[in-house]
Amino acid sequence: MTPIYLDNNATTACDPAVVAAMLPFFTEQFGNASSIHSFGNQVGLAIKAARSQIQALLGAEHDSEIIFTSGGTESDNTAILSALKAQPDRKTIITTKVEHPAVLAFCDRLEKEGYVVHKLGVDGRGRLDLDEYRSLLNDRVAIVSVMWANNETGTIFPVEEMAEIAHARGIQFHTDAVQAVGKIPIDLKRSKIDMLSLSGHKLHGPKGIGVLYLRRGTRYRALFHGGQQERGRRPGTENSTGIIGLGKASELVMQHFSTENQEVRYLRDKLEKGILAQVPRAFPTGDLNNRLPNTSSIAFEFVEGEGILLLLNKLGIAASSGSACTSGSLEPSHVMRAMGIPYTAAHGTIRFSLSRYNTLEEVERVIEAVPPIITQLRKISPYWNEATNSPAAQAFAPAYA
Amino acid sequence: MWDYTEKVKEHFFNPRNTGVLEEANGVGDVGSIQCGDALRLMLKVEPETEIILDAKFQTFGCGSAIASSSALTELVKGKTLDEALTISNQDIAAYLDGLPPEKMHCSVMGREALQAAIANYRGEEWKDDHEEGELICKCYAIDSALIESVVRENSLTTLEQVTHYTKAGGACASCHEKIEEVLQRTLAAQCSAPAVKPAEKPEPAPAAASAEKPKLTNLQRMRKIEEIIESVRPMLQRDHGDIEIVDIVGKNIYVNLKGACMGCALEAATLGSIQQKLFEDLGEYVRLLPASQLEMAH
Ligand SMILES: Cc1ncc(COP(=O)(O)O)c(C=O)c1O
């Protein structure tokens, strides 16, 4: 039984071509990119090539707008902190309730330090209210940070439009595009986005490498201080192997763009329809007509996500859950709560996230595997009536601790 | 995922005594809002002997909640009600060869379901009195609710005391920041901003000493300022605050006031009295300013 990997929003397998591109830079060209001797003289060139591969992927106007970082988290933190430091008289941040913790947890910390944070809410389908957004913009706002696509539901946000609106008010705009890059068309030179985060390991590249796109002319303050790497904007000896791998991964992701949007989308839709056709009281979450082509988030009512994942794992199927109990925190997913999904459904939300490596056979196997698992768990759920195969007639209302 | 023991996995994959017990005469329904788990425990009790003849459960919850429920039913079967009531949540966890600290609340829920079911059988009202908070210390499974109540009851003021009373933070130490936050939150009500007391009387300066003070080099001066700030920190810390130097620019010394001192109405007063001490010990006029003003200056 070969394992099936449907957790590509968590991380992806590194493409073998990416690994091959990286290897010589571990063993032969291991020199420092800043050195002039022969151990490193290819490194600088290779980094330059990687930078232009990423420039092409993002449609950036200049390659100097690409700053290499350690990943999505660092890029997100840097963007927000830079905007605050570069504009000390502006102390407000606007973001959303459904951001990744790389933005949300950092904003919570900044709030404790005295900054003002507004988190835009979403409707039941995970959509933002642009009127609310407009009403919050004023000259105390240092930065707007809104993700391009949500990692749990795949919901896509109208960041290009939001960036225009912010730009018209003279406010910096950052987007966490970690999940969006390679799946939706991005052409930054035509947008008003000032900063963008991407992460290598979400696009079949290596882990621990990412990019902060910084539009030329955007006021910026570095997070770290040291050498002149990345023109002093992100000092520290370059992660040359990571950068070269990310460059290769970017090139591949551009080649596979239509695979992602046609074949992967087809498999995702088949999977989702196949499961929903067989399981009663289950529904997809997020903005179904406007989401990433690879993501399906299904709420199975009256069962808990971790149980589903453990049973799937026994069958060699890897997915993830927006549920409390797997994430290390006990709260159900903040994304599900922001959409107003009731607790008994939020806890049973499973995210299937596909990639270009998945096959039709795999999807068929998963469609077969899921329904019996849900039946098995509902059998022991106090909210479910096995005899009628529907929610318990008398609603289960326990004494809550 | 979680580090579940073989026993937990075994009870999750093959839970014992699941489903509805038709002849139940004691039923306990409990839930934990924190985790969203819920458990119905059904007991069939023999009235004459009060022996639990049969037990079944239904659980909505994660793997360890299901395993804990399964373990609970196995533990209570054949016991009298009074014997069953002596089962603690640790007994349930021990039966499963342990639970991860984040999941200890599953065993607590099991014990509560048991109390609720027995109360139901006896026709009593069962009230849950335990509060659950955010898990703070993963090494010893201590949550914020416990820390808060221990802090209040024992008038604790420092991290070290919390560790001493609850063990929280006593092992890997990575939760110290969270403990300090809970401490501050708990004590915030009595926001007693540290007015810096003129602690130990400074040694009476020999007459005309300041006039004779040799001029300090820049480095000496910085060290001296650091020393003075260091000397007031214990006082601030006693009141759950702290201070750190951010920059020294000419006569301006920029500092961060932290903890209970921050944002308090008394912030200015605190700065004022530390500034006074700086004049005296340094023998020159300096200004002590919050670091936020440094940003403006740039
Ligand atoms: C939307 C989003 N932002 C940020 C991150 C963090 O990226 P990284 O793991 O590279 O720090 C992730 C991935 O976990 C993500 O999904």
Side-chain angles (χ1 to χ4, degrees), chain B residues 73-93:
Chain B
T73 54
E74 288 288 276
L75 277 168
V76 300
K77 274 203 279 183
K79 291 206 164 64
T80 66
L81 295 184
D82 286 336
E83 283 165 358
L85 279 173
T86 65
I87 296 172
S88 70
N89 74 302
Q90 276 92 357
D91 293 333
I92 298 171

Side-chain angles (χ1 to χ4, degrees), chain A residues 183-261:
Chain A
K183 296 178 197 140
I184 43 189
I186 294 180
D187 192 12
L188 289 175
K189 61 184 165 302
R190 287 174 192 278
S191 83
K192 293 284 190 273
I193 291 166
D194 297 302
M195 292 184 274
L196 173 145
S197 306
L198 80 78
S199 176
H201 70 99
K202 310 280 184 179
L203 23 119
H204 304 288
K207 301 182 198 340
I209 184 76
V211 161
L212 175 65
Y213 160 84
L214 176 69
R215 176 177 298 280
R216 182 175 284 185
T218 305
R219 281 176 69 82
Y220 179 77
R221 292 290 177 271
L223 181 66
F224 300 150
H225 300 276
Q228 274 308 305
Q229 294 90 349
E230 303 301 291
R231 301 171 192 238
R233 296 169 303 178
R234 205 295 191 174
T237 298
E238 294 88 348
N239 174 0
S240 47
T241 48
I243 291 171
I244 289 155
L246 176 55
K248 185 71 190 171
S250 301
E251 183 193 314
L252 294 173
V253 114
M254 282 172 81
Q255 286 168 14
H256 288 105
F257 190 82
S258 65
T259 316
E260 196 74 44
N261 275 280

Side-chain angles (χ1 to χ4, degrees), chain A residues 109 306 325 330 347 380 399 401, chain B residues 2 4 31 35 59 103 128 177:
Chain A
R109 159 53 52 112
E306 184 187 307
C325 290
L330 302 174
H347 277 289
I380 59 172
Chain B
W2 301 107
Y4 284 141
C35 187
T59 291
K103 301 291 191 165
D128 167 61
E177 185 176 351

